[in-house]
Amino acid sequence: MDDLDFMKSALAQAEEAYHKNEVPVGAVVVLDGEIISRAHNNSLNGMDPSAHAEIEALRKAAVVIGNYRIKEAIMFVTLEPCMMCCGALVQARLSELVYSTKDPKSGVVVSNGQLLESSFLNHKVRYRQGPLEKESSSILKQFFNARRD
């Protein structure tokens, strides 16, 4: 599997969230070339402000490996993470983040503040923009347009 395959899996999670009337963001955690967890946003239905796709995926991955430090793992997520999620990625000691589309409103990887570059962090998560930007952006636009109508 490659970046495109992993991001397709994350996008499938976003689509699942969309069908549950959740903000359509999906994430997968990959370790040694295998997906060890999949998740999507669950904040609305779960009444949990911390139930973003990234947090949910990290929680599941930690259970799978039996450790909250998920070193050497890569997260693929359909939307640039927010401040809370970036903090969780650092705390989990994730190796790398691959996000699909930027979030000019709340994203803090590249759009606002470049949090992962902060000198005070005790762990550096590598990051890059990955595939399916158009598809990830489109499902978010569909969701928010439908809510506005």
Side-chain angles (χ1 to χ4, degrees):
M1 293 182 76
D2 61 11
D3 284 6
L4 181 59
D5 294 317
F6 294 132
M7 197 62 81
K8 282 181 180 177
S9 185
L11 187 58
Q13 287 296 307
E15 291 166 355
E16 189 173 328
Y18 181 88
H19 293 297
K20 293 179 179 178
N21 293 315
E22 287 285 348
V23 177
V25 177
V28 299
V29 176
V30 175
L31 185 62
D32 298 327
E34 299 290 328
I35 295 174
I36 63 168
S37 72
R38 294 173 169 82
H40 55 73
N41 275 9
N42 194 40
S43 294
L44 300 174
N45 291 313
M47 300 294 210
D48 180 355
S50 70
H52 289 194
E54 299 94 325
I55 304 291
E56 297 289 289
L58 288 174
R59 287 175 178 156
K60 290 177 181 180
V63 170
V64 167
I65 67 166
N67 193 334
Y68 76 103
R69 303 278 195 216
I70 312 167
K71 297 176 182 179
E72 307 306 317
I74 302 170
M75 176 175 285
F76 289 81
V77 63
T78 59
L79 183 65
E80 177 187 359
C82 70
M83 183 170 52
M84 173 184 68
C85 293
C86 281
L89 298 175
V90 170
Q91 293 302 315
R93 303 298 191 266
L94 208 71
S95 174
E96 185 174 5
L97 166 71
V98 181
Y99 63 90
S100 186
T101 192
K102 293 177 184 172
D103 183 357
K105 184 176 179 182
S106 300
V108 298
V109 177
V110 295
S111 296
N112 300 289
Q114 296 77 39
L115 185 64
L116 294 176
E117 294 293 326
S118 298
S119 62
F120 63 84
L121 294 176
N122 61 348
H123 174 75
K124 297 292 183 183
V125 177
R126 294 186 319 270
Y127 60 87
R128 59 191 164 88
Q129 190 166 6
L132 302 179
E133 178 180 9
K134 181 180 173 187
E135 295 83 350
S136 296
S137 178
S138 177
I139 193 170
L140 285 159
K141 287 176 183 172
Q142 282 180 285
F143 178 81
F144 287 112
N145 285 338
R147 289 185 69 94
R148 288 183 192 109
D149 291 344

